[in-house]
């Protein structure tokens, strides 16, 4: 269910499709996350959504931003000159290794050697890819990310007065609940580093839009584990997913071999999240249509792309009439910025901000 102010704004949008961001809701959510984590440093992983309006709201609550490319670095440092930046990402170029940072997350022994070759000062967290079981994760960050214990051991003798080892960085998996993240944090903190960045990956449930990650429980658990150490986390999705909406309109309703379809303006080239994650994107229908349609039956909602993958949600019992307004929820993270905008050359959505 969407808030009244979101519904009113969706109904008064001059154009569709459009992204609508609820900035006061983001402000409130970020403040509550911040309150739940006393003594823990909170960074935002910019790759979840780099929209400048969202970053400006978040800047009032976070201690810094985690960037994963030279592009994100330029974007964030131009918005917040002098702000704290943690620079991560696999495959950093020589130019990226030279960028100013508060921390740089080194992904391999050879990357550390190339960092030393720059001749610049650096404050390093080694990205460890630990051999820990992560059950129930949506996406496990194993494989090429970071290094194993052997890689870390190879790095340790390379540090100098100029290129300083500050601690460890990990980002284990995406879609974990607080108890799972605390278990993983417990095993990592056993290794005696004074500073540990525990990454992001806090669970977001698209099947239960009203549920939230247990920030308070996570904060209490981290406080118990921290004990004088610097602990930092860098969530992305769990901060911004909830404040974004993709608002569009029903352009056709039809039945093909018995199955009902609603065809919407736009598509997964604007909101790729359901296609990449393979889920049904939650939505609310506002009955603005006066045309033909179907009522109270399973409807598959698709977009305007000429591909069977252009599906927002499958066989959800609902009603849809031509001209109805469809508000997709939870479209504030890994949505517009991961989408293949130019496929089929349809117009881009508008961007509107509540409370700006
Ligand atoms: C993607 C990423 C994050 C954020 O992950 P979420 O699942 O969006 O919280 C944090 N740290 C690193 C290193 C990442 O790659």
């Amino acid at each position: 269910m969407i808030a009244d102010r979101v519904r009113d704004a969706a109904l008064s949008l001059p154009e569709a499709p459009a992204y609508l961001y609820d900035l006061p809701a983001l402000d409130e959510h970020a403040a509550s996350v911040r309150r739940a984590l006393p003594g823990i440093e909170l960074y935002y992983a910019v790759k979840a959504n780099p929209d400048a309006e969202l970053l400006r709201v978040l800047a009032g609550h976070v201690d810094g931003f985690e960037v994963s490319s030279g592009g994100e670095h330029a974007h964030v440092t131009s918005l917040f000159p002098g702000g704290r930046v943690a620079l991560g990402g696999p495959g950093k170029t020589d130019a990226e290794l030279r960028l100013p940072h508060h921390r740089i997350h080194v992904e391999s022994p050879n990357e550390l050697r190339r960092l030393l070759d720059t001749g610049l000062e650096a404050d390093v967290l080694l990205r460890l890819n630990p051999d820990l079981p992560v059950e129930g994760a949506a996406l496990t960050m194993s494989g090429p990310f970071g290094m194993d214990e052997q890689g870390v051991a190879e790095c340790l003798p390379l540090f100098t007065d100029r290129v300083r080892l500050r601690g460890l960085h990990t980002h284990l998996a995406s879609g974990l609940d607080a108890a799972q993240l605390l278990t993983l944090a417990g095993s990592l903190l056993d290794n005696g580093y004074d500073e540990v960045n525990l990454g992001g990956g806090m669970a977001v449930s698209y099947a239960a839009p009203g549920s939230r990650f247990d920030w308070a429980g996570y904060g209490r658990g981290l406080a118990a584990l921290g004990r004088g150490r610097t602990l930092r986390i860098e969530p992305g999705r769990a901060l911004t997913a909830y404040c974004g909406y993709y608002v569009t309109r029903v352009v056709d309703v039809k039945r093909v071999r018995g199955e009902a379809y609603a065809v919407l303006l736009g598509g997964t080239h604007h909101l790729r999240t359901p296609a990449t994650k393979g889920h049904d994107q939650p939505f609310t229908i506002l009955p603005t249509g006066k045309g033909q349609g179907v009522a109270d039956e399973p409807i598959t909602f698709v977009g305007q792309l000429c591909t069977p993958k252009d599906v927002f949600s499958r066989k959800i019992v609902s009603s849809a009439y031509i001209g109805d307004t469809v508000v997709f929820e939870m479209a504030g993270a890994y949505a517009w910025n991961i989408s293949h905008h130019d496929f089929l050359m349809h117009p881009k959505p508008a961007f509107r901000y509540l409370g700006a």
Side-chain angles (χ1 to χ4, degrees):
M1 271 301 105
I2 55 176
D4 286 350
R5 66 168 182 269
V6 172
R7 193 199 54 216
D8 294 347
L11 289 173
S12 61
L13 285 173
E15 67 283 282
Y19 268 92
L20 180 63
Y21 289 113
D22 186 350
L23 299 182
L26 176 63
D27 194 45
E28 208 175 294
H29 178 53
S32 76
V33 171
R34 175 66 281 178
R35 273 196 304 276
L37 299 163
I40 307 296
E41 290 189 15
L42 174 65
Y43 279 41
Y44 171 63
V46 170
K47 82 169 191 283
N49 189 339
D51 186 289
E53 297 290 336
L54 273 60
L55 295 186
R56 283 193 195 97
V57 171
L58 288 168
H61 304 285
V62 300
D63 300 294
F65 291 99
E66 189 262 351
V67 300
S68 293
S69 72
E72 287 185 352
H73 186 282
H75 181 57
V76 166
T77 54
S78 76
L79 286 170
F80 313 109
R84 274 204 198 176
V85 167
L87 173 62
K92 292 178 202 70
T93 63
D94 289 341
E96 286 170 334
L97 290 173
R98 303 182 74 89
L99 292 171
H101 58 257
H102 174 252
R103 292 291 181 264
I104 183 166
H105 301 156
V106 165
E107 294 258 337
S108 79
N110 284 335
E111 186 170 88
L112 181 57
R113 291 187 180 97
R114 289 174 47 237
L115 180 64
L116 285 154
D117 287 345
T118 64
L120 298 171
E121 296 206 15
D123 288 293
V124 174
L125 298 186
L126 293 176
R127 177 155 179 192
L128 174 65
N129 182 337
D131 188 17
L132 294 170
V134 277
E135 276 159 37
L139 198 65
T140 306
M141 307 302 281
S142 50
F145 298 103
M147 49 195 136
D148 57 19
E149 290 73 7
Q150 224 177 318
V152 169
E154 190 179 330
C155 289
L156 295 180
L158 303 178
F159 285 97
T160 63
D161 290 348
R162 198 164 38 76
V163 176
R164 299 168 284 264
L165 173 63
R166 296 291 191 172
L168 278 189
H169 170 245
T170 55
H171 173 65
L172 297 165
S174 108
L176 296 177
D177 65 26
Q180 289 171 307
L181 278 170
L182 286 170
T183 304
L184 295 169
S187 356
L188 281 168
L189 291 171
D190 274 348
N191 52 34
Y193 287 89
D194 286 337
E195 180 177 324
V196 179
N197 181 329
L198 293 162
M202 293 73 185
V204 165
S205 171
Y206 291 86
S211 71
R212 292 290 181 275
F213 180 80
D214 177 14
W215 289 105
Y218 190 51
R220 280 192 300 274
L222 287 185
L225 288 169
R227 294 209 192 100
R229 283 184 282 209
T230 301
L231 295 190
R232 187 178 303 127
I233 59 169
E234 47 182 22
R237 192 187 302 270
L239 284 176
T240 49
Y242 305 100
C243 74
Y245 301 84
Y246 178 64
V247 184
T248 184
R249 227 167 264 142
V250 179
V251 66
D252 194 15
V253 178
K254 60 182 172 179
R255 203 180 294 283
V256 182
R257 296 190 208 294
E259 289 198 13
Y261 293 89
V263 184
L264 310 182
L265 286 176
T268 55
H269 55 308
H270 294 168
L271 175 63
R272 194 157 174 247
T273 328
T276 45
K277 297 210 27 115
H279 65 214
D280 295 321
Q281 193 72 25
F283 62 85
T284 298
I285 297 187
L286 306 176
T288 47
K290 295 188 180 68
Q292 302 291 308
V294 296
D296 302 320
E297 66 170 288
I299 305 174
T300 294
F301 290 82
V302 301
Q304 293 176 293
L305 299 183
C306 310
T307 158
K309 296 186 177 173
D310 192 26
V311 178
F312 292 108
S313 66
R314 289 175 207 275
K315 297 184 182 174
I316 305 289
V317 175
S318 47
S319 302
Y321 294 87
I322 293 173
D324 276 354
T325 301
V326 184
V327 182
F328 286 100
E329 299 159 50
M330 303 183 74
Y334 304 102
W336 166 251
N337 65 309
I338 64 157
S339 303
H340 42 304
H341 311 151
D342 292 327
F343 188 40
L344 264 80
M345 300 179 75
H346 284 295
K348 305 268 193 289
F351 287 82
R352 302 282 163 194
Y353 301 88
L354 261 175

